Each structure stands twice: as C-alpha cells, then as structure tokens.
Amino acid sequence: MITEIIIRGIIQGGSLSLIALGLTLLYGVSRVVNMSHGALLMLSVYIYYALSTPHILGLDPWLALIMAILVMGVFGAIMYRLTIHPVLGDDVAIMVVTITIGVAIQSLVVMFFGGENMGLISPIELGYIEILGVSVSWISIITLIVSLSLFALVALFINWTKIGKAMQALSQDREAAMLMGINTNRLYVLTMILSVVLVSIAGFLYCIPVKLVYPGLWLSIIISAFAIVIVGGLGSIKGSLIGSFIIGYADTIVRNLHPAAGSVASIVPLSVMVAVLLIRPKGLFGKRVEMED
Amino acid sequence: MPIKERLADSARMVRGYLVRAYSNFVAKVFDVPPRLAAFLCLLALLAIPCSGDKYLPMLTYACINAILAASWDLLVGRTGQVSLGHAFFFGTGAYISALLIQFYGSSITIPLLQITIPFYLLTIPASLAIIVVLAILIGLPALRVKGPYLGLLTLCIPLIMSNIVNWYVLSDIFHGLSGIRVPYFFSFLRGNPIRDTVEYYFALTVLFFSAVIIYKVATSKTGIVFVSILDNELAAKACGINVTRYKLLSFAISGVFGALSGCIYAHLILGRARPMLFETTWSFLPITMTFLGGLGTIYGPLAGAFIYTFLDQYVMPTYLEPVMGYWGLSRYFGMLRMIIFALLLIVLIIKWPRGIARTIVDKLDDLAKPRDIEERGPRIWKKYKKEQKEGRFRKIFSKFKKKPKEKESEVET
C-alpha cells in the first residue's frame, strides 16, 4: 500500500509537473496568468489526433507529434500578439481574455470533433514493469524521465544562455531590461512559444498513455495546473516542481485511501491549494508581497 | 365649516407633498442626464408587456442576469477584488433555499396568526443571511491573497461546491445531477396567460430595488472607500482605512445580490436547484455582460445584461440559426454562438475597454456640466449659431496657437 502510494505519487507528480512548467515560466517572465493553458494542451492533443488518425490524415505518429508542436508554437505566437499583448499589465483583462480564448477553443474543438471521447494512437507500444510489487507502465516512467529532463533543460536554458538571462532580467524589471537593449516584445513572444511547446509536450505525455482525449479536459487540467503553480508560488520553477509532487501525492493518497472518494478526489488539489494559500498568501516559493501593490 | 377647512388643509398638505416629490424628482433624476436616461429605460421596460408577451421570459432572464452582473461589478469594478467564481454565490443561494424547503416542507403555518404562507418567503431571506456568513467565512482567508491568486482561488470555489453536490455519498441530500425540486413563485397562476407578465414585473421590481441599493452603496461613503481600495490599497491603508473590513463588506454585499439572483433563477425559471448552477458559465456570464456594458458603473452591467440577453436569446436564434439551418449546419449553432461571444468579448476588452453604457453615460455626464448660458437651449442655439460656430473654430485653431503667458499667471493669482 505505502510503496504503491509512493510510486504512483511520483508518476502522477511527474506527469503534472510539465503542465505547470509552461504556466509558471510565462507568468514569471511576462506576468501573464494564462487561463487558456489547459485549452492549449487539449488543442495540441486534438491536432495530434487529427494528424495521426488513419481516417482523417493518417500521418506517421512521430511526424504528427512534431507537426502538432510546430503548429501549436505558431498558434501560440499569433494568439499572444493578437490578444494578450494589447492588454499586457492589466491582470483582470488578461485573465478574462485568456479564459475566453479557452472557452472559444473548447467550442471550436467540439465543433470539429464532437463532444465524445476520442481514442488516440500511441507512437510506441510498451509493456509493464514490476517495481517493488507495483505494476507500472513503461510509458509513465518515460513520462517521468522526460518531464524531469525538460525541467532540467529549462533551468539550464534560463541560467546559462543569453536569452535565458534576458528572460530573468525581464522578469525582474521590465524597464531596466529595455534600457539594457533587450527586445522585450520579441522575448515575450519567445516565452509564449516556449510555454506552448512545453504544454503540448505535456499534453502528449498526459493523454497518449491513457489513449483518450475529450473536450472537458481543459478545465480539469487547468485546475490541477493552477493548484500546483499556486502551491509552489507563481513564477517559481523550483516551486512548481515541488508543488506538482505535493499535489500528485495528495491526489494519490486520497484516491488510494477510500474507494468512496470518487468525484470528491478531484477537489483534493484545490483543498491543498486553499490550505497553502491560507498559510502563505504567495505560495511556498513565491516572492514576498511587494509594497507597491 | 371645520370639515371643509380640514379638507382644504389636507389638500394643501397633499399638494405640498406632491410638489416636494416633483421638485425632488426634478432635482435628483430629471436634471442628471444619466439618471434621466436610466429612468426612461425603466419606463420603456415597464411598458414592454403592453406590446405583446412573446419574448417576456427572455426579459425575465435578462433581469436576473442583470442582478448577477451588477453584484459582480460591485466587487470587481468598484473594489478591485478579482472574482472569477461568482457562480458560488449564485448556486449556493439557490441550494440553501432548496435545502430548507426540502427539510421543512414547501408551506408553513405561522403559529399565532393561523395563516399558511409559501415557505419560500422565509427561505430566501434565510439563504441571503446564510450567504452573508458564508461570504465572510470564505472572504476572510480568500481576501488575504491578491490579484491573480485571488482570481484563481475564486475560480476554484464553485468547482469544489459542484463536486460536493455531485458526490454520490451525499446523494440523499443533494440528489446528484437532477437536483432538488423547488416550488415556483407563481405556481398558483399555472396555465394563466398573465403568468409571464407577472413574473416579468416581479423580476423587474427585484432588479430595480437591487440596482438602487447597489447604486446607493456604490455612491455612498462606503463606495468611495471601495474605489480607494481599487485605486491604491496601500494608500487606503495609510489613510487609516481598515481595508480587510471593507473588502469583506464588498464581498458580502456582492454575495447577497449574487445569491438573490440565484434564488430567483431557481424559483422562477428552473424550478430546481441543480449542480448546473455552479457551472463556470455562471461565473463568466456576469463578466461578459459587465465588459459589454462597461466596468465600474452601475449602468454598465445592467445595460450589458440586457444587450447580451437580447443578442443571445433573440438575435442569434432568429437570424443566425435559419442561415445555419439553410446550410445544414444547425448542430454547430450552439458552439458557433459561444465562439462569436468569445470573439466579441476579446475585441471589446482590447479595443473598447470602457464598454457601451459607460461611453454613453460619460457623454450624458458631459451634458450635465455647467456651461455658459449662450450654449443652452434650442432658441438661443439658433440665435447664436453663427457665433458658436466661430467659437468652435476658434477652439480648434487655438490648439495650434500658444497661449499667452500672462493669462496663466492671472489664473494663478
């Protein structure tokens, strides 16, 4: 029982962490709370579905994955320039605009693919492995490895490359970064593209193992993603990694403790989030409350 | 003749009251153009049932939406506390009333007077009172967080509620998806053609009183404190304002009116308290309406609610659906409607963040500002048309000229 909870919690946390990474990166750099994050994840999986399913386009699954990521990157850049950029700096407007985009994407998806569950094709078929008496699928181990390595890559990118350092500067002080000759607008778009690419990879890793995608996915995704990001502190990459494991474990423990949990298990991340916010209003690793606000 | 004298006396008194009421009306409504416009709109709304009642249910729905939107606007547009979960108040209000009715029966006999009254007359005030307590309980921790954190937190609260209500363990209490049956307000008029009209007037009355109360709150001293929190919380704190207390007050007032609209929606239209009331749609509806009308005014959300409901319930089904049906696309209609509204909202926020009603109200306010006597009145306008025109040109040209410095110094001294 305990070993099962430990192993399943790690896997759950790993698959959730990548979803939160793009969100926290975008908030950290451009102070945009992207409520359409879950919708972008869903859209990327649907694009993959359209590209790879034999009776629609029937491409090779690996090619479909890459093409879906490219399409999503372009879509993210266009979406950012058209909708988010004009209202940058206004928290309420950004939230309303992005959540409206989420609703629009959901309606679009239902319009083209219908509201039913859709089966996905997996590019690789792998079996199960027994770890300490718990049967775990290989693909979830791959998910864990990929998300952890992407975390490491993003951390390296932020800390070691020139663009990453520019992003850090931008997150600290926009005007000072502009004075240092950083093209902030281009950097914002770049961050958005990075965030969207990360979320589409997260979407594939989240949906392909269960081979299922449905239009209601985006709301459940956004809830767990925001729970993670808020527990860890908005804009903190370290925080989101730790937050995802906290949420993953809380979820797994409740699901394993009592079979009657059912739909109430889905409020566990929210309850954890509320509890953390009560103790620390800016999350575990969030910055202290600034005096200007 | 004492009777005649007394009659004359009372007639004088009545006349005095009427004159005072009239002059009050002129001073407080007629001379303030935005209020006059609102008054004319109210008259138009009162007169609508005379013209045929085919679309009355739509207007009833619009009134309920308007209460919800106005309550959201008080919290967000006035106090600046981002709430993306107004569905919590909407649903909880309805559910508390429904639960009370479920436990205590649909009618109640008052012990002393031996009169049987429908129980909803008591459950709705009770649910509003409970909502105040709930709003303070939730607000105390929730209002510690700020900005995006608060928005996300409030987004989650109705989702938690909807999960609890849907939980099969509690299905004996909440009855899961089908919800709890509640009595209709005017069920004794069943089958009567007058029922729609009565319901409409009832909703309009409730809307009128809620709007007046919200307007009074927003323009009172408390309302000014709310705006000071919106403008600069730190400065408000520095002025010795207990910010938390006023935030809680705003949360509670907003919650009461949200719950009121939820109660009326359940008792008037739906006939049930269902988990659907906690859906995210009910959180976005007031947002859309308020941005349509204009954030931070009382006119904005009301006008926005009516415009939105008109577009959503009348224009779309009458004009868009036949076109789509012609092309054989009618099953996509619901989705396309959502997409159109989403695009409309995005364009509005980006291009016209002030909204429709707020622009009009600003124009009207501009009219009310004191001007020179020559500019007023149609007769004088005709007489001085020429001079005025020249004056206008002079104004335009004066932008290109530099003002002499002596005048400025005169103004200063």
Side-chain angles (χ1 to χ4, degrees), chain B residues 115-145:
Chain B
I115 312 168
T116 306
I117 55 164
F119 195 39
Y120 56 69
L121 290 178
L122 295 181
T123 56
I124 290 174
S127 100
L128 299 189
I130 294 172
I131 279 288
V132 171
V133 177
L134 271 182
I136 289 170
L137 280 182
I138 288 180
L140 267 177
L143 295 177
R144 275 186 69 193
V145 298

Side-chain angles (χ1 to χ4, degrees), chain A residues 111 223 234 260-261 264 278 291, chain B residues 141 144 149 159 163 167 234 332:
Chain A
M111 214 163 128
I223 289 163
L234 273 173
V264 166
L278 293 188
M291 286 310 276
Chain B
R144 275 186 69 193
Y149 288 92
L159 296 168
N163 271 318
W167 196 16
L234 200 67
Y332 298 133

Side-chain angles (χ1 to χ4, degrees), chain B residues 325-336:
Chain B
Y326 179 75
W327 293 104
L329 299 169
S330 49
R331 66 200 166 99
Y332 298 133
F333 170 66
M335 295 301 125
L336 192 69

